[in-house]
Amino acid sequence: MPYTYEYPRPAVTADVVLFAMRDGDLAVLLIKRKHAPFRGAWALPGGFVNPDEPLVHAAFRELAEETGIRSGIVLDQLGAYGDPGRDPRAHTVTIAFYSFLVVAPQPVPGDDAASAAWHELRALPRLAFDHAKIIAHARSQLVARLIEHPDTLQFPARFTLPELQSVYEAVTGRPLKPRSFRAKLVSRGLVEPIRSDRKSKRGAVQLYRFKSPGRLDLSRESS
């Protein structure tokens, strides 16, 4: 067969770091492994890439097979992880993808997953492989996107400023001064008020939407 070479061929997997808001905290979706290695341990949804399968297709497929989540997700490639020894079965390179949802869908375990559940980042269980390292990298990328390009994340079309602030606080892990935070959002033109039919006990609730891309400087926002 032409163009074949006698070189070792590492296995290739695709893993998904899916973040979401849960009760005001940032959480990540994990599955409990059904088989060895790391049987019974928590891990990211993922698995081996099939022959001639695009990487992102493998990530979507594994996410659907192991958690039942099949729609409403936009995956961005995070990076490649292939340190020797990260997988006791063989030299395995994984391509990780990540995404963020404000509203967390209910997972349904399947395939190689004995269970699937959301876990708060501040109280993660011991993880299989090098998934703790991958999650930490994904969170740093999420923080950078939230500050530099918040309009590229999957926010609802309409939101209140307190709702948006709770996301910033959960993702960055920092408390923010409400008045200063909201003033910067409006003065920078990142958000704009829109007509609202939402009401509370105090009356009409003002809703906003993202207006234009831009960086939100949070360097002096901690309360």
Side-chain angles (χ1 to χ4, degrees):
M1 187 176 182
Y3 308 114
T4 59
Y5 304 91
E6 293 302 321
Y7 292 107
R9 294 180 176 84
V12 180
T13 58
D15 290 314
V16 177
V17 187
L18 184 56
F19 295 114
M21 295 291 293
R22 294 276 291 180
D23 300 323
D25 287 315
L26 185 64
V28 65
L29 182 61
L30 301 176
I31 60 101
K32 181 174 286 188
R33 290 180 57 81
K34 188 183 295 185
H35 306 296
F38 302 107
R39 180 180 179 181
W42 290 95
L44 293 169
F48 289 99
V49 178
N50 291 329
D52 301 320
E53 183 180 29
L55 292 171
V56 71
H57 289 190
F60 276 118
R61 174 180 55 77
E62 288 290 342
L63 180 65
E65 290 176 355
E66 294 189 336
T67 72
I69 298 176
R70 302 178 181 276
S71 61
I73 309 294
V74 176
L75 292 178
D76 292 292
Q77 189 168 313
L78 175 67
Y81 303 84
D83 289 346
R86 63 173 300 275
D87 187 334
R89 294 168 294 191
H91 185 193
T92 304
V93 177
T94 193
I95 311 300
F97 296 81
Y98 77 108
S99 188
F100 170 76
L101 300 173
V102 173
V103 180
Q106 181 63 40
V108 178
D111 194 38
D112 294 333
S115 181
W118 294 96
H119 292 255
E120 295 178 3
L121 259 68
R122 60 183 178 179
L124 289 179
R126 187 173 182 178
L127 299 173
F129 305 104
D130 54 355
H131 289 182
K133 171 184 174 181
I134 295 174
I135 291 173
H137 185 199
R139 197 221 182 133
S140 69
Q141 291 297 102
L142 180 61
V143 170
R145 281 186 64 184
L146 188 64
I147 294 174
E148 299 289 344
H149 302 286
D151 57 300
T152 65
L153 296 173
Q154 291 176 262
F155 284 104
R158 308 186 306 167
F159 47 80
T160 67
L161 294 186
E163 289 170 346
L164 188 61
Q165 181 176 335
S166 69
V167 171
Y168 272 82
E169 290 181 332
V171 171
T172 62
R174 297 165 52 191
L176 303 172
K177 298 177 181 178
R179 182 176 297 180
S180 177
F181 171 76
R182 299 171 196 180
K184 283 186 176 182
L185 283 170
V186 176
S187 65
R188 289 291 310 276
L190 296 178
V191 299
E192 62 180 356
I194 59 175
R195 292 184 61 182
S196 171
D197 56 3
R198 190 190 299 185
K199 297 185 183 298
S200 69
K201 293 180 180 179
R202 298 182 179 181
V205 175
Q206 180 61 65
L207 296 177
Y208 291 79
R209 67 183 176 189
F210 280 110
K211 180 181 178 182
S212 62
R215 187 180 190 276
L216 182 62
D217 183 8
L218 299 178
S219 59
R220 298 182 180 179
E221 289 300 314
S222 296
S223 59

